Amino acid sequence: MPVAERVLLRRVTMRLLLQSLFLLLLGCCLCPATAFPKGCYPSEEEGLKTFRCSNARLTEVPRDIPNDTNKLYLDSNRIPFLPRDAFRDLPLLLELDLSHNAIASVESGAFQGLAEHLHSLDLSSNRLVSVSKDTFSNLKAKVNLSNNPWLCDCRLQELIRTVELVAGSSGGIVCDSSVQEEHVGKAFLQVMADTDFCNVYKKTTDIAMLVTMFGWFAMVISYLVYYVRQNQEDARRHLEYLKSLPSKQRRSEESSTISTVV
């Protein structure tokens, strides 16, 4: 092959290699470092790192949330359940908005790891009926629990006394159902002013125990009465039988019966 052709071939080869390398580098620069769920995006608001997933049709808490996030918006989605350690990898989280979802259950430990920094938690407009007070243990955040179908009972009373409510949100905690029918439709804090649900529950439990004990006692007495009457009937029949026997045999049978009784 002539020298000129070899030089031209080398130049063409080098040019193709350089073009391929440039396209590869360009592709790497344009590709996002993390594939966020559709509808979710990071931003910066007032100097705080924010991650927004509002109206993203999510059915669970996303996993690939940047761990330096300060404000997380998961509002207006379809999330039904918050599992344990749902936000474990977000140690710098200050605000968490979970409002307008379908959350009906919050597992104990769902907010584990957020106690140090979180100062705002919005759970309003969900489907919460009953939540254990342990769910918010050690959490210092102000919590919004309004507009949920709450069951007003001792459990809710303990929960309300455990958390710090967002100012002005207490009126939205309304009894959708209650252990006492007359409380339905009323604001829970208003009802709490006149009713100690935990004391009512204790009294109800004590009454139930007394009723149970009385039932057992009545059963024992009934059995004893039946037993005595049955024995009396058997004794009467035996005496009638003895009377029908000849006198000599009757005396022997009576002596035997008396000995047995003694």
Side-chain angles (χ1 to χ4, degrees), residues 126-196:
N126 277 283
R127 298 178 184 174
L128 296 172
V129 175
S130 183
V131 178
S132 170
K133 65 178 181 178
D134 297 333
T135 303
F136 301 97
S137 60
N138 301 320
L139 205 62
K140 301 174 183 177
K142 293 182 178 180
V143 185
N144 189 345
L145 298 172
S146 61
N147 299 319
N148 281 283
W150 290 109
L151 166 63
C152 292
D153 60 358
C154 179
R155 202 176 192 197
L156 181 58
Q157 179 173 300
E158 290 180 337
L159 173 64
I160 296 299
R161 289 176 174 173
T162 300
V163 301
E164 181 180 358
L165 298 175
V166 172
S169 68
S170 61
I173 303 175
V174 177
C175 301
D176 187 72
S177 57
S178 176
V179 291
Q180 298 184 28
E181 190 66 28
E182 65 269 21
H183 297 151
V184 175
K186 296 181 180 179
F188 185 64
L189 263 66
Q190 177 185 348
V191 174
M192 272 181 61
D194 302 319
T195 305
D196 186 342

Coordinates of all heavy atoms in Angstrom, one line a residue, residues 126-196:
N126 N -56.0 12.6 54.9 CA -55.7 11.3 54.6 C -56.9 10.4 55.1 O -58.0 10.9 55.2 CB -54.4 10.8 55.2 CG -53.2 11.2 54.3 OD1 -52.9 10.6 53.3 ND2 -52.5 12.3 54.7
R127 N -56.6 9.1 55.4 CA -57.7 8.2 55.8 C -57.3 7.6 57.1 O -57.7 6.4 57.4 CB -57.9 7.1 54.7 CG -58.3 7.7 53.4 CD -58.5 6.6 52.3 NE -58.8 7.1 51.0 CZ -58.9 6.4 49.9 NH1 -58.7 5.1 50.0 NH2 -59.2 7.0 48.8
L128 N -56.7 8.3 58.0 CA -56.3 7.8 59.3 C -57.5 7.7 60.2 O -58.2 8.7 60.4 CB -55.2 8.7 59.9 CG -53.9 8.8 59.2 CD1 -53.0 9.9 59.8 CD2 -53.2 7.5 59.2
V129 N -57.6 6.5 60.8 CA -58.7 6.3 61.8 C -58.2 6.2 63.2 O -58.7 6.7 64.1 CB -59.5 5.0 61.4 CG1 -60.5 4.7 62.5 CG2 -60.1 5.1 60.0
S130 N -57.0 5.5 63.3 CA -56.4 5.2 64.6 C -54.9 5.0 64.4 O -54.5 4.3 63.5 CB -57.0 4.0 65.3 OG -56.5 3.9 66.6
V131 N -54.1 5.7 65.2 CA -52.6 5.6 65.1 C -52.1 5.5 66.5 O -52.5 6.3 67.4 CB -52.0 6.8 64.4 CG1 -50.5 6.7 64.4 CG2 -52.5 7.0 63.0
S132 N -51.1 4.6 66.7 CA -50.5 4.5 68.0 C -49.6 5.7 68.4 O -49.0 6.3 67.5 CB -49.6 3.2 68.1 OG -48.8 3.1 69.2
K133 N -49.6 6.1 69.6 CA -48.8 7.2 70.1 C -47.3 6.9 69.9 O -46.5 7.8 69.7 CB -49.1 7.5 71.5 CG -48.7 6.4 72.5 CD -48.9 6.8 74.0 CE -48.5 5.7 74.9 NZ -48.7 6.1 76.3
D134 N -46.9 5.6 69.9 CA -45.5 5.3 69.7 C -45.0 5.6 68.3 O -43.8 5.7 68.1 CB -45.3 3.8 69.9 CG -45.7 3.3 71.3 OD1 -45.5 4.2 72.2 OD2 -46.1 2.2 71.5
T135 N -45.9 5.8 67.3 CA -45.6 6.2 66.0 C -44.8 7.5 66.0 O -43.9 7.7 65.1 CB -46.8 6.3 65.1 OG1 -47.5 5.1 65.1 CG2 -46.4 6.6 63.7
F136 N -45.1 8.4 66.9 CA -44.5 9.7 66.9 C -43.6 9.9 68.1 O -43.2 11.0 68.5 CB -45.6 10.8 67.0 CG -46.6 10.8 65.8 CD1 -47.8 10.1 66.0 CD2 -46.2 11.4 64.6 CE1 -48.7 10.1 64.9 CE2 -47.1 11.3 63.6 CZ -48.3 10.7 63.7
S137 N -43.1 8.8 68.7 CA -42.3 8.9 69.9 C -41.0 9.6 69.5 O -40.4 9.4 68.5 CB -42.0 7.5 70.4 OG -41.3 6.7 69.4
N138 N -40.6 10.5 70.4 CA -39.3 11.3 70.3 C -39.4 12.3 69.2 O -38.4 13.0 68.9 CB -38.1 10.4 70.2 CG -37.9 9.4 71.3 OD1 -38.2 9.8 72.5 ND2 -37.6 8.2 71.0
L139 N -40.5 12.4 68.5 CA -40.6 13.3 67.3 C -40.9 14.7 67.9 O -41.9 14.9 68.6 CB -41.7 12.9 66.4 CG -41.5 13.3 64.9 CD1 -40.3 12.8 64.3 CD2 -42.7 12.9 64.1
K140 N -40.1 15.7 67.5 CA -40.3 17.1 68.0 C -41.1 18.0 67.0 O -41.3 19.1 67.3 CB -39.0 17.7 68.3 CG -38.2 16.9 69.4 CD -36.8 17.5 69.6 CE -36.0 16.7 70.6 NZ -34.6 17.2 70.7
A141 N -41.4 17.4 65.9 CA -42.1 18.2 64.8 C -43.5 18.6 65.2 O -44.2 17.9 66.0 CB -42.1 17.4 63.5
K142 N -43.9 19.7 64.7 CA -45.3 20.1 64.8 C -46.1 19.3 63.7 O -45.7 19.3 62.6 CB -45.5 21.6 64.6 CG -44.9 22.4 65.7 CD -45.1 23.9 65.5 CE -44.5 24.7 66.6 NZ -44.7 26.2 66.4
V143 N -47.2 18.7 64.1 CA -47.9 17.7 63.3 C -49.3 18.3 63.0 O -50.0 18.8 63.8 CB -48.0 16.4 64.0 CG1 -48.7 15.4 63.0 CG2 -46.6 15.9 64.4
N144 N -49.7 18.1 61.7 CA -51.1 18.4 61.3 C -51.8 17.1 61.0 O -51.5 16.3 60.1 CB -51.0 19.3 60.0 CG -52.4 19.8 59.6 OD1 -53.4 19.4 60.1 ND2 -52.4 20.8 58.7
L145 N -52.8 16.9 61.8 CA -53.6 15.6 61.8 C -55.1 15.9 61.3 O -55.9 15.0 61.5 CB -53.6 14.9 63.1 CG -52.2 14.4 63.6 CD1 -52.4 13.9 65.0 CD2 -51.6 13.4 62.7
S146 N -55.4 17.1 60.8 CA -56.7 17.4 60.5 C -57.3 16.7 59.3 O -56.5 16.2 58.5 CB -56.8 19.0 60.3 OG -56.0 19.3 59.2
N147 N -58.6 16.7 59.2 CA -59.3 16.2 58.0 C -59.0 14.7 57.8 O -58.7 14.3 56.7 CB -59.0 17.0 56.8 CG -59.5 18.4 56.9 OD1 -60.5 18.7 57.4 ND2 -58.7 19.3 56.4
N148 N -59.1 13.9 58.8 CA -59.0 12.4 58.8 C -60.2 11.9 59.4 O -60.8 12.5 60.3 CB -57.7 11.9 59.5 CG -56.5 12.1 58.6 OD1 -56.2 11.4 57.7 ND2 -55.7 13.2 58.9
P149 N -60.6 10.7 59.0 CA -61.8 10.0 59.6 C -61.5 9.4 61.0 O -61.6 8.2 61.1 CB -62.3 9.0 58.6 CG -61.0 8.6 57.9 CD -60.1 9.9 57.9
W150 N -61.2 10.2 62.0 CA -60.7 9.7 63.3 C -61.8 8.9 64.1 O -63.0 9.3 64.1 CB -60.2 10.8 64.1 CG -58.9 11.4 63.6 CD1 -58.8 12.6 63.1 CD2 -57.6 10.8 63.6 NE1 -57.5 12.8 62.7 CE2 -56.7 11.7 63.0 CE3 -57.1 9.6 64.1 CZ2 -55.4 11.5 62.9 CZ3 -55.8 9.3 63.9 CH2 -54.9 10.2 63.3
L151 N -61.4 7.9 64.7 CA -62.2 7.2 65.8 C -61.8 7.8 67.1 O -60.6 7.7 67.5 CB -61.9 5.7 65.8 CG -62.4 4.9 67.0 CD1 -63.9 5.0 67.1 CD2 -61.9 3.5 67.0
C152 N -62.7 8.5 67.7 CA -62.4 9.2 69.0 C -62.5 8.2 70.2 O -63.6 7.8 70.5 CB -63.4 10.3 69.2 SG -63.1 11.7 68.0
D153 N -61.4 7.8 70.7 CA -61.3 6.9 71.8 C -60.0 7.2 72.6 O -59.4 8.2 72.4 CB -61.3 5.4 71.3 CG -60.1 5.1 70.4 OD1 -59.3 6.1 70.1 OD2 -60.0 4.0 69.9
C154 N -59.7 6.3 73.5 CA -58.5 6.4 74.4 C -57.2 6.5 73.6 O -56.3 7.3 73.9 CB -58.5 5.3 75.4 SG -57.1 5.4 76.5
R155 N -57.2 5.8 72.5 CA -55.9 5.7 71.7 C -55.7 7.1 71.1 O -54.5 7.6 71.1 CB -56.1 4.7 70.6 CG -54.7 4.2 70.1 CD -54.9 3.1 69.1 NE -53.7 2.5 68.7 CZ -53.5 1.7 67.7 NH1 -54.5 1.5 66.9 NH2 -52.3 1.1 67.5
L156 N -56.7 7.7 70.5 CA -56.5 9.1 70.0 C -56.2 10.1 71.0 O -55.4 11.0 70.8 CB -57.8 9.5 69.2 CG -57.8 10.8 68.5 CD1 -56.6 10.9 67.5 CD2 -59.1 11.1 67.8
Q157 N -56.8 9.9 72.2 CA -56.5 10.9 73.3 C -55.1 10.8 73.7 O -54.4 11.8 73.9 CB -57.4 10.5 74.5 CG -57.2 11.4 75.7 CD -58.2 11.1 76.8 OE1 -59.4 11.2 76.6 NE2 -57.7 10.7 78.0
E158 N -54.5 9.6 73.8 CA -53.1 9.4 74.1 C -52.2 10.0 73.0 O -51.2 10.6 73.3 CB -52.8 7.9 74.3 CG -53.4 7.3 75.6 CD -53.0 5.9 75.7 OE1 -52.7 5.2 74.7 OE2 -53.1 5.4 76.8
L159 N -52.6 9.8 71.8 CA -51.9 10.4 70.6 C -51.8 11.9 70.7 O -50.7 12.5 70.5 CB -52.5 9.9 69.3 CG -51.9 10.5 68.0 CD1 -50.4 10.1 67.9 CD2 -52.7 10.1 66.8
I160 N -53.0 12.5 70.9 CA -53.1 14.0 70.9 C -52.2 14.6 72.0 O -51.6 15.6 71.9 CB -54.5 14.5 71.1 CG1 -55.3 14.0 69.8 CG2 -54.6 16.0 71.2 CD1 -54.9 14.6 68.5
R161 N -52.1 13.9 73.2 CA -51.3 14.3 74.3 C -49.8 14.1 74.1 O -49.0 14.7 74.8 CB -51.8 13.7 75.6 CG -53.2 14.1 76.0 CD -53.7 13.4 77.2 NE -54.9 14.0 77.8 CZ -55.7 13.4 78.7 NH1 -55.3 12.3 79.3 NH2 -56.8 14.0 79.1
T162 N -49.5 13.3 73.1 CA -48.1 13.0 72.8 C -47.5 14.0 71.8 O -46.3 14.4 72.0 CB -47.9 11.6 72.2 OG1 -48.5 10.7 73.2 CG2 -46.5 11.2 72.0
V163 N -48.2 14.4 70.8 CA -47.6 15.3 69.7 C -47.9 16.7 70.0 O -48.8 17.1 70.7 CB -48.2 14.9 68.4 CG1 -47.9 13.4 68.1 CG2 -49.7 15.1 68.3
E164 N -47.2 17.6 69.3 CA -47.5 19.0 69.3 C -48.2 19.4 68.0 O -47.6 19.2 66.9 CB -46.2 19.8 69.4 CG -46.4 21.3 69.4 CD -45.1 22.1 69.5 OE1 -44.0 21.5 69.6 OE2 -45.2 23.4 69.5
L165 N -49.4 19.8 68.0 CA -50.2 20.1 66.8 C -49.8 21.4 66.2 O -49.4 22.4 66.9 CB -51.7 20.1 67.2 CG -52.2 18.8 67.7 CD1 -53.7 19.0 68.1 CD2 -52.1 17.7 66.7
V166 N -49.9 21.5 64.9 CA -49.7 22.8 64.2 C -50.8 23.8 64.6 O -52.0 23.4 64.8 CB -49.8 22.5 62.6 CG1 -49.8 23.9 61.9 CG2 -48.7 21.7 62.2
A167 N -50.4 25.0 64.9 CA -51.3 26.0 65.3 C -52.5 26.1 64.4 O -52.3 26.2 63.2 CB -50.6 27.3 65.5
G168 N -53.7 26.1 65.0 CA -54.9 26.3 64.2 C -55.5 25.0 63.5 O -56.5 25.0 62.9
S169 N -54.8 23.9 63.7 CA -55.2 22.6 63.0 C -56.0 21.7 63.9 O -56.7 20.8 63.5 CB -54.0 21.8 62.6 OG -53.2 21.3 63.7
S170 N -56.1 22.0 65.2 CA -56.8 21.2 66.2 C -58.3 21.1 65.9 O -58.9 20.1 66.1 CB -56.6 21.6 67.6 OG -57.1 23.0 67.8
G171 N -58.9 22.2 65.3 CA -60.3 22.2 65.0 C -60.7 21.2 63.9 O -61.8 20.9 63.8
G172 N -59.7 20.8 63.1 CA -59.9 19.9 62.0 C -59.9 18.5 62.4 O -60.1 17.6 61.6
I173 N -59.6 18.2 63.7 CA -59.5 16.8 64.2 C -60.9 16.5 64.7 O -61.3 16.8 65.9 CB -58.5 16.6 65.3 CG1 -57.1 17.0 64.7 CG2 -58.5 15.1 65.7 CD1 -56.0 16.9 65.7
V174 N -61.8 15.9 63.9 CA -63.2 15.7 64.2 C -63.5 14.2 64.3 O -62.9 13.4 63.6 CB -64.1 16.4 63.1 CG1 -65.5 16.1 63.3 CG2 -63.8 17.9 63.0
C175 N -64.4 13.9 65.2 CA -64.8 12.5 65.4 C -65.7 12.0 64.3 O -66.8 12.4 64.2 CB -65.6 12.4 66.8 SG -64.7 12.9 68.2
D176 N -65.1 11.2 63.4 CA -65.9 10.5 62.4 C -66.7 9.4 63.0 O -67.8 9.1 62.5 CB -65.0 10.1 61.3 CG -65.8 9.5 60.1 OD1 -66.4 10.4 59.3 OD2 -65.8 8.3 59.9
S177 N -66.1 8.7 64.0 CA -66.8 7.7 64.8 C -66.3 7.8 66.2 O -65.3 8.5 66.5 CB -66.5 6.3 64.2 OG -65.1 6.1 64.2
S178 N -67.0 7.2 67.2 CA -66.7 7.4 68.5 C -67.2 6.2 69.4 O -68.2 5.6 69.0 CB -67.2 8.7 69.1 OG -66.9 8.9 70.5
V179 N -66.6 6.0 70.5 CA -67.1 5.0 71.4 C -68.4 5.5 72.1 O -69.1 4.7 72.6 CB -66.0 4.7 72.6 CG1 -64.8 4.0 72.0 CG2 -65.6 6.0 73.3
Q180 N -68.6 6.8 72.0 CA -69.9 7.3 72.5 C -70.5 8.1 71.3 O -70.0 9.1 70.8 CB -69.7 8.3 73.7 CG -69.1 7.6 74.9 CD -68.9 8.5 76.1 OE1 -69.7 9.4 76.2 NE2 -68.0 8.2 76.9
E181 N -71.7 7.7 70.9 CA -72.3 8.1 69.7 C -72.5 9.7 69.7 O -72.4 10.3 68.6 CB -73.7 7.4 69.5 CG -74.3 7.7 68.1 CD -73.6 7.0 67.0 OE1 -72.8 6.1 67.2 OE2 -73.7 7.6 65.9
E182 N -72.8 10.2 70.8 CA -73.1 11.7 70.8 C -71.9 12.6 70.5 O -72.0 13.8 70.2 CB -73.6 12.1 72.2 CG -72.6 11.9 73.4 CD -72.7 10.6 74.0 OE1 -73.2 9.6 73.4 OE2 -72.2 10.5 75.2
H183 N -70.7 12.0 70.4 CA -69.5 12.7 70.1 C -69.2 12.8 68.6 O -68.4 13.6 68.1 CB -68.3 12.1 70.7 CG -68.3 12.2 72.2 ND1 -67.7 11.2 73.0 CD2 -69.0 13.0 73.1 CE1 -67.9 11.5 74.3 NE2 -68.7 12.6 74.4
V184 N -69.9 12.0 67.8 CA -69.7 12.0 66.3 C -70.0 13.4 65.7 O -71.0 14.0 66.0 CB -70.6 11.0 65.6 CG1 -70.4 11.0 64.1 CG2 -70.2 9.6 66.1
G185 N -69.0 13.9 64.9 CA -69.2 15.2 64.2 C -68.6 16.4 65.0 O -68.6 17.5 64.5
K186 N -68.2 16.1 66.2 CA -67.6 17.2 67.1 C -66.1 17.2 67.0 O -65.5 16.1 66.8 CB -68.1 17.0 68.5 CG -69.6 17.1 68.7 CD -70.0 17.0 70.2 CE -71.5 17.1 70.4 NZ -71.9 16.9 71.8
A187 N -65.5 18.4 67.3 CA -64.1 18.5 67.4 C -63.6 17.7 68.6 O -64.1 17.8 69.7 CB -63.7 19.9 67.4
F188 N -62.5 16.9 68.4 CA -62.1 16.0 69.4 C -61.6 16.8 70.7 O -61.8 16.4 71.8 CB -61.0 15.1 68.9 CG -60.5 14.1 69.9 CD1 -61.4 13.1 70.4 CD2 -59.2 14.1 70.4 CE1 -61.0 12.2 71.3 CE2 -58.9 13.1 71.4 CZ -59.7 12.2 71.8
L189 N -60.8 17.9 70.5 CA -60.3 18.6 71.6 C -61.5 19.2 72.4 O -61.4 19.4 73.7 CB -59.4 19.7 71.2 CG -57.9 19.4 71.3 CD1 -57.6 18.2 70.3 CD2 -57.0 20.5 71.0
Q190 N -62.6 19.6 71.8 CA -63.7 20.1 72.5 C -64.4 19.0 73.3 O -64.8 19.2 74.5 CB -64.8 20.6 71.5 CG -66.1 21.1 72.1 CD -67.1 21.4 71.1 OE1 -66.8 21.6 69.9 NE2 -68.4 21.6 71.5
V191 N -64.4 17.8 72.8 CA -65.0 16.6 73.5 C -64.1 16.2 74.7 O -64.6 15.9 75.8 CB -65.2 15.4 72.5 CG1 -65.6 14.2 73.3 CG2 -66.2 15.7 71.5
M192 N -62.8 16.3 74.4 CA -61.8 15.9 75.5 C -61.9 16.8 76.7 O -61.6 16.4 77.8 CB -60.4 16.0 74.9 CG -59.8 14.8 74.3 SD -58.1 15.0 73.7 CE -57.3 15.3 75.3
A193 N -62.4 18.0 76.5 CA -62.5 18.9 77.7 C -63.5 18.4 78.7 O -63.5 18.7 79.9 CB -63.0 20.3 77.2
D194 N -64.5 17.6 78.2 CA -65.5 17.1 79.1 C -65.5 15.6 79.4 O -66.1 15.1 80.3 CB -66.9 17.4 78.6 CG -67.1 18.9 78.4 OD1 -66.7 19.7 79.3 OD2 -67.7 19.3 77.3
T195 N -64.7 14.9 78.6 CA -64.7 13.4 78.6 C -63.2 12.9 78.7 O -62.4 13.3 77.9 CB -65.4 12.8 77.4 OG1 -66.7 13.3 77.3 CG2 -65.5 11.3 77.6
D196 N -63.0 12.0 79.6 CA -61.7 11.3 79.7 C -61.9 9.9 79.1 O -62.5 9.0 79.8 CB -61.2 11.2 81.2 CG -59.8 10.6 81.2 OD1 -59.4 9.9 80.3 OD2 -59.2 10.7 82.3

